[in-house]
Structures are given as structure tokens and as C-alpha cells.
Amino acid sequence: MSEQTLPFAGRLNWRAPLPHSRRGKVLVAIRLAGVVALAAIAANTPGFFTAVSLFSLLNTTSFIGCVAIGMTFITLSGNIMSFALGVTLSTSGIVFMAALPLGLGGALIVAFAFGAAVTGAQGFVVGYFRANPIIVSMAALALITGGATLITQGQGVYPQGDAAAPLKGRVFGVSMPLAAFIFTVVVAQIALSFTRFGRQLYMVGSNWRASLAAGLDPARIVLGAYIAAGLCTALAGILMAARYSSGDLELGIGYDYSAISAVLVGGTAISGGEGSAIRSFVGAFIIAICQVLLLLHGFSTQIQYLTIGVIVLLVIMLQTLADTD
Amino acid sequence: MRPLLANRSVRPYLLLVAITVVLWILDGGQGRFFTTATAFSVLQQFATIGPIALGLGLSMIIREFDLSVGGMISLAGCIAVLTGASHPELGVALAVLFGLAWGLFQGAIMVWLRLGSIGVTLGGLLTLGGLAYVVTGNLSISYPRMDVALAVNRPVLSIFSFRSLIAFAVFLVAAFFMARTRVGRDVYATGSDRRAAMVAGVRTSAIIPAVFACSGMLAALGGSLLSYSLAAASGEALTDALVPATAAAIIGGVSLMGGKGTPIGMIGGVLVLCLLRAGLNAVGTPPAVQDIVTGGVLFLVAIADAVDLDPRLFAIRRYCAEMFFRRDDLGRPRQASPAE
């Protein structure tokens, strides 16, 4: 193991089990088979293609999806995941609710700035000092949870007035969370594919040392990735707080795990440098579809948790086929 | 003093003394802190966090990280409570066996598919969490044997309990193995330079599953005893112990870059963290402050252990020297170089 790879993110060994091209084809075939199987089950499930089930599917996926897009930036930058995005979601919702007396615009700015600052601080430490991202995000989780509990005394924050009402409406006939999710996916994908930042992010994620040698400033790019993650998470937090008309620390519990599940199921590599926002979009929907299918077939919520866990484990095991180095 | 400070396993104990002094000053002679009750509560927390920190620390010594302990704690608790109603030992044994099997499974996947530990154990965390929900039916289940719950927590020698004695015993066994056996040397070799270790004949593909099996067993042991002592188990609490256990292992001198740290140092690390939490509790700060302190410590340690810390500090020092003192980085008065 070279000194430059992060501990415990990389591969244990350096020999390839199959030639690259064949491994890639096997992987694509397995993924296609999975999607086809899922579609077949969905088609044979009575009630799946009804409007109610689809709309509830789309709405619940939107919140997780926004966080997953944010997580995608962190994963792509080679920093695996952040455990603090769930609590960042809840706290930006709280900040939004508390700032509502400033008016909708002011509250939005404050909440976005909060999300970007909190997550950006992790990005700064991870990028400039190359601290371990997992440990830093655990520290951030404890710090934000503790700080927020201390300030709110563990109580929910409720809005003054109805300045947040526009966020509960519909845009072009779709609900606000879904519109925001699609907007986030489009913007994120454009940023990743067509901007210099996106290209540099892929390079930093796939090889930090090479990006340094190529004259990039990897620290700044990692910082940018974390700020983007903070913005996406704050968006989810704001919409969630508006939807439930309260900001509460409980809102975001488990969202970091759901988000990283979506990112990985979508096929973004956990070692960084490979993946996209659209993949996470697809991943979030695959997970949501699985949940709805299990629900329609009469399985309880606990089976859903287990299924998602097993799917993530399998997807990670499959990634060994995609790993090319 | 210098060599003492340089020893990673001694540092947590120096910190322990420092924190005791600070808490004593904070207490201001009110006698809230130096009581057997505080000592007992420190050791009770030690019993909860200790085995988990040891397992995580061992996985960090081989330069991996076992995220799945978070799920293992709750699942092991559920297994123990569900199967140990008539024979408590059987419940713990089953939970620990499951931890062993799961750890071996994860380690085997990593070696066989050549995967990094974060991905595999993240999948493991989610799967174990899901399993815990499934076996409990998404409810909090209670343990009918109150006598066992009381027995594992009953004070022994006024500050210890059955649980904390077990935790110490586990640490001492680990310390013996790491310091005195070939397996221990092999574990350190695997963590400091895996390639060199393989070349030197260390069977790293056996060491990795073994360490993850230990980590699974320790988390299962901690989780099942915790559930006994609370007389309850549930599928919730995915990371509650993960953050303090990680912090404790790192404070105890384990390096994220692998190959460094000892179980004896980890005892000190866990004690430092538990003393901080119990001490803050004793002098009457709200529980959220404990979170902040744990997080702050973890944050500082993460920076102190960072890969690029030295070059950044050097850059800052040079910048300050030039800006404020008109000196170059060796402390000489700055002269205009001919090139400028």
C-alpha cells in the first residue's frame, strides 16, 4: 500500500481477478439483470403502478435523493462518506425555521450558508490537512448533535408566521421536494460533467497524487465537494422542515445511511473518482422501489431495513469487478 | 520526560492525570467528583465502550476500520436477550459466536474479493442493523431476568462490577497476545506495511479475517452484556457507541495509518473518555456537553493524525515568520534575494 492512499478505503491487493474488459462486461450484465428483475417484479405487483403509490414513492425519495446527491460529491472526491449529513439536514431545517422571521429569502440564505459552513469545515480539515474523512465526520456528528441539543434544549422549533408556505406548493404540477430533487440532480450532473470543477473532482477522487502532480489544488477541490454536499443537504433540510412545519433533530436520523446506500446502489465507486449524480438518482429510486414492492407484498418495515443492508453489501461486493487499477 | 511523552501508550495515562486535576479544580472542593460513585460510573462506561473500542482499535492497527460494530452491538444484544432467558451464559455465547462468524465472513470477503474494509463493513452495519430490527420485530424487547441484570452490575470491591471486570480481562488477554505472541507481531506487521509483511511471510490473508472476527466477538460481548445490564434490547442505536469507541481508541494511541497502538494504551484511552464524560456529569453539565467534548477531542485527534499536517503547519509558520517577524523560516533576518 502506498503512503498516499487513504487507510481502509482502498483495495487489499493489487492483482486483478479477470481482464478489465471482461470484468466490466460481467458487471454491466449483472446490473442489467438486476434492473430487469426489479422491473419484472414491479410489473407483476398489483397496485404498484397506481398514482398514489407512485407519488408517495417520488416524494419520500426526494429528501433522501437530495442528500444522496450531496453524498455523491464526497464519495467522488475519494472521501467515502460523511456520517454528519443526517444531522446537518436536521439542523439546517432548524436554522431555517428559526430564521423565518427574516423572511423567506433571508431564511433560505441563512440555512444554505449554515449547511455549507458546517460541511465545508469538515471539507477544509479533510482537504487541507488530509485528515481521515470518516473520523472527521464522526467528530462533526457529535459536535453538531451536541451543539444543537444544547441550543434547542432538545425541543422542536416551530415557524413564526407562514413565510415558508410557498415551499409547500407545487411547481409545474409536481410537488416541491420532487422539483427540488430533479433540479439538484440536473445541476449536479452539469457541474460534474461540464465544468472544470467536475473534471478536477473526478481526478482528485481517482488519484490525489496525480492531481497534485498535474498542478491542481486538490485541497480546494475537496473543500468545494464538501460545500456542494452541504448545500444539497441544506436544501433537503429546508424542504423537510417546510413540509412538516417544524425543525427537529429527529428529522434527519438515518439519512446519512440511506444516502450512502443510494450512492453505492447507483454504482458510484466507494473508492472515489467514478460515478455520477444520475447514478445516485437511479440508486435512490431503486431503493425506494424495493421498499414499495416489499410493502405491497406485505413485508414489514424491518424486512425493508434488512433488504437494503443486503443489497448494499452485494453491490459493494460487485464493485470488485469494476475496480480497475 | 521526552521519551515518556513519545510513547503512545503512556500519553493517555498522562492525559488521565491531567483531566483528573482539571475536574478536581472545576469541582472546587465540593466533593462531587472524588467519590466511589463516580469511579463506579466511569468503570461502568468503561465496560460498555471498552470492548468495542478494543475491537475497533485492533482493526485500526491493521489499517482497516470496522464500521459494523455499531450494528453488531444492537444485534448481539437482541440475540442474547432472546436466547438467554433461561441460561444467560448461553445467550452471551450465541451472541459472541455470531460475532465471530460475521467477522470471519466480512474479513473473508475483503481478502477474497480484495475489497476495502469501509465498504464491506458499511454493508455489514446496514445488514446487521436490519437483522436486529427483524429479530426484535421493530420493538424494544425486555429481558425477563432482573436477577441477571442486577448481578452483572453489582459492585465488586466497591468500584468494579462483573461487566467492568470482564472488560479488563479481555483487554489484558489482548495485551498479552499483541505483545508476547507471534500473532501479535504479525498483526502489527500487517498494519504497518502490508506488502512488506506478505513478502516477509506473514499470512495477511489469515490475519485480516482473524482481526475482524475478534472485533465482531468483542462488539458482541459488549453488546450482549450491555443489554443484560439494561434488561432490554432494540434494533435502534446504530452509531451511539461507534463515535466514543473510535475516539477512545485514537486517544489510546492507535494510529489511523496502522501498525501503532497497544491494548494497554487503549485502556487508558477509554478511561480518559469515560472519565471526561462521568466527570462532566458529576460536576453537573448537561449531557449534550459530553457529546461536544467527545466530538471536539475526536476532531483534534483527527487533525493531529492528519497526513498533511506537517507541511501545512510549516507553510503557516513560514508565512507568519515572513509577515510578522521579517525572518525566513530558519529564523534568520530576511534579505532580499538577488532574484527579486
Side-chain angles (χ1 to χ4, degrees):
Chain A
M1 279 235 166
S2 73
E3 198 53 28
Q4 289 300 315
T5 54
L6 273 173
F8 45 76
R11 291 152 57 87
L12 292 182
N13 212 324
W14 53 90
R15 269 170 299 146
L18 280 174
H20 291 177
S21 54
R22 247 177 77 201
R23 283 190 294 157
K25 278 176 194 157
V26 171
L27 186 68
V28 171
I30 294 175
R31 279 188 184 146
L32 273 180
V35 171
V36 168
L38 199 62
I41 299 172
N44 286 318
T45 302
F48 181 78
F49 286 105
T50 58
V52 177
S53 118
L54 284 182
F55 269 111
S56 76
L57 172 74
L58 292 174
N59 276 329
T60 48
T61 310
S62 302
F63 297 119
I64 295 175
C66 281
V67 184
I69 300 299
M71 193 73 89
T72 309
F73 283 100
I74 295 180
T75 311
L76 279 178
S77 73
N79 291 306
I80 309 167
M81 70 175 287
S82 167
F83 283 106
L85 289 192
V87 74
T88 308
L89 181 144
S90 340
T91 40
S92 11
I94 293 175
V95 167
F96 175 69
M97 280 295 158
L100 263 185
L102 300 176
L104 183 59
L108 283 175
I109 291 173
V110 171
F112 276 120
F114 172 81
V118 165
T119 316
Q122 297 166 53
F124 178 80
V125 176
V126 170
Y128 281 86
F129 296 114
R130 298 200 64 199
N132 187 289
I134 295 286
I135 308 297
V136 168
S137 74
M138 280 183 184
L141 167 67
L143 282 174
I144 302 171
T145 312
T149 315
L150 209 58
I151 292 168
T152 63
Q153 299 296 328
Q155 308 283 314
V157 179
Y158 299 96
Q160 319 261 313
D162 56 353
L167 293 183
K168 289 194 232 174
R170 294 177 157 268
V171 204
F172 306 121
V174 295
S175 69
M176 199 67 180
L178 181 60
F181 177 34
I182 292 171
F183 173 76
T184 314
V185 173
V186 171
V187 171
Q189 192 56 50
I190 289 173
L192 286 174
S193 302
F194 301 111
T195 67
R196 193 199 283 185
F197 166 71
R199 295 301 170 103
Q200 293 180 340
L201 184 63
Y202 280 104
M203 177 140 195
V204 171
S206 49
N207 195 331
W208 176 289
R209 224 170 157 175
S211 70
L212 201 62
L216 306 187
D217 183 356
R220 219 183 59 210
I221 295 155
V222 168
L223 176 62
Y226 272 81
I227 289 177
L231 291 176
C232 295
T233 311
L235 178 64
I238 291 166
L239 291 170
M240 217 162 163
R243 178 153 183 209
Y244 296 113
S245 289
S246 74
D248 197 308
L249 268 179
E250 306 274 313
L251 284 184
I253 289 179
Y255 268 69
D256 18 43
Y257 293 105
S258 309
I260 189 68
S261 307
V263 170
L264 295 176
V265 168
T268 294
I270 197 165
S271 45
E274 197 199 324
S276 69
I278 296 197
R279 285 194 192 187
S280 302
F281 176 81
V282 173
F285 271 102
I286 289 180
I287 288 181
I289 290 170
C290 289
Q291 281 178 325
V292 171
L293 286 178
L294 287 168
L295 203 67
L296 287 175
H297 281 283
F299 290 103
S300 50
T301 32
Q302 48 267 34
I303 297 284
Q304 295 175 22
Y305 292 123
L306 178 61
T307 313
I308 295 170
V310 172
I311 292 176
V312 171
L313 196 54
L314 289 178
V315 165
I316 287 167
M317 285 163 69
L318 275 182
Q319 278 192 357
T320 188
L321 294 170
D323 247 340
T324 49
D325 56 320
Chain B
M1 202 63 199
R2 202 80 198 251
L4 208 58
L5 270 176
N7 186 336
R8 299 179 75 100
S9 300
V10 174
R11 262 185 276 168
Y13 292 96
L14 296 176
L15 204 56
L16 202 61
V17 174
I19 291 169
T20 314
V21 171
V22 169
L23 284 170
W24 178 64
I25 294 169
L26 269 179
D27 182 43
Q30 292 181 46
R32 290 174 298 180
F33 175 59
F34 278 108
T35 59
T36 44
T38 314
F40 181 72
S41 96
V42 168
L43 291 173
Q44 284 299 92
Q45 288 201 29
F46 176 85
T48 306
I49 300 177
I52 301 155
L54 177 59
L56 265 178
L58 289 177
S59 75
M60 278 149 74
I61 288 178
I62 59 162
R63 210 164 183 271
E64 303 289 337
F65 194 82
D66 191 355
L67 275 177
S68 70
V69 294
M72 183 57 79
I73 299 161
S74 44
L75 180 57
C78 299
I79 293 177
V81 163
L82 285 172
T83 59
S86 51
H87 300 286
E89 313 81 25
L90 180 74
V92 175
L94 280 177
V96 170
L97 262 181
F98 179 80
L100 170 84
W102 185 264
L104 278 179
F105 167 68
Q106 289 187 142
I109 287 182
M110 285 168 217
V111 172
W112 176 48
L113 295 176
R114 303 180 174 105
L115 285 169
S117 54
I118 280 284
V120 175
T121 56
L122 179 67
L125 172 69
L126 296 171
T127 309
L128 292 174
L131 267 177
Y133 279 114
V134 170
V135 298
T136 58
N138 211 357
L139 298 168
S140 178
I141 47 174
S142 62
Y143 185 55
R145 295 279 298 272
M146 277 316 283
D147 56 321
V148 177
L150 291 173
V152 292
N153 287 330
R154 184 172 302 128
V156 180
L157 300 173
S158 77
I159 55 168
F160 294 100
S161 71
F162 178 72
R163 278 208 301 145
S164 55
L165 287 175
I166 289 273
F168 274 109
V170 164
F171 267 105
L172 292 180
V173 170
F176 171 78
F177 266 93
M178 294 300 280
R180 293 270 170 250
T181 66
R182 182 178 161 176
V183 179
R185 296 300 166 95
D186 286 358
V187 168
Y188 283 117
T190 306
S192 26
D193 190 335
R194 185 156 302 158
R195 224 159 159 167
M198 284 173 92
V199 172
V202 174
R203 292 184 56 200
T204 53
S205 54
I207 293 286
I208 294 162
V211 166
F212 277 90
C214 284
S215 164
M217 276 161 63
L218 289 165
L221 180 70
S224 47
L225 287 179
L226 179 66
S227 279
Y228 277 175
S229 83
L230 299 173
S234 80
E236 276 174 37
L238 269 177
T239 45
D240 282 350
L242 190 60
V243 176
T246 312
I250 301 180
I251 298 168
V254 178
S255 163
L256 293 166
M257 302 308 287
K260 290 197 181 108
T262 61
I264 296 294
M266 278 185 251
I267 296 183
V270 181
L271 283 177
V272 163
L273 197 75
C274 297
L275 183 71
L276 262 181
R277 292 163 79 105
L280 287 172
N281 207 10
V283 296
T285 50
V289 176
Q290 299 176 18
D291 270 341
I292 297 180
V293 170
T294 313
V297 169
L298 198 51
F299 200 71
L300 289 179
V301 175
I303 294 179
D305 221 12
V307 182
D308 270 2
L309 181 66
D310 286 347
R312 294 291 178 195
L313 284 185
F314 180 71
I316 293 169
R317 207 171 59 212
R318 191 170 56 185
Y319 177 80
C320 291
E322 292 210 352
M323 283 302 291
F324 303 123
F325 306 112
R326 305 262 158 210
R327 303 269 165 156
D328 67 9
D329 45 83
L330 294 175
R332 295 171 303 214
R334 195 172 63 174
Q335 293 159 355
S337 63
E340 276 171 4

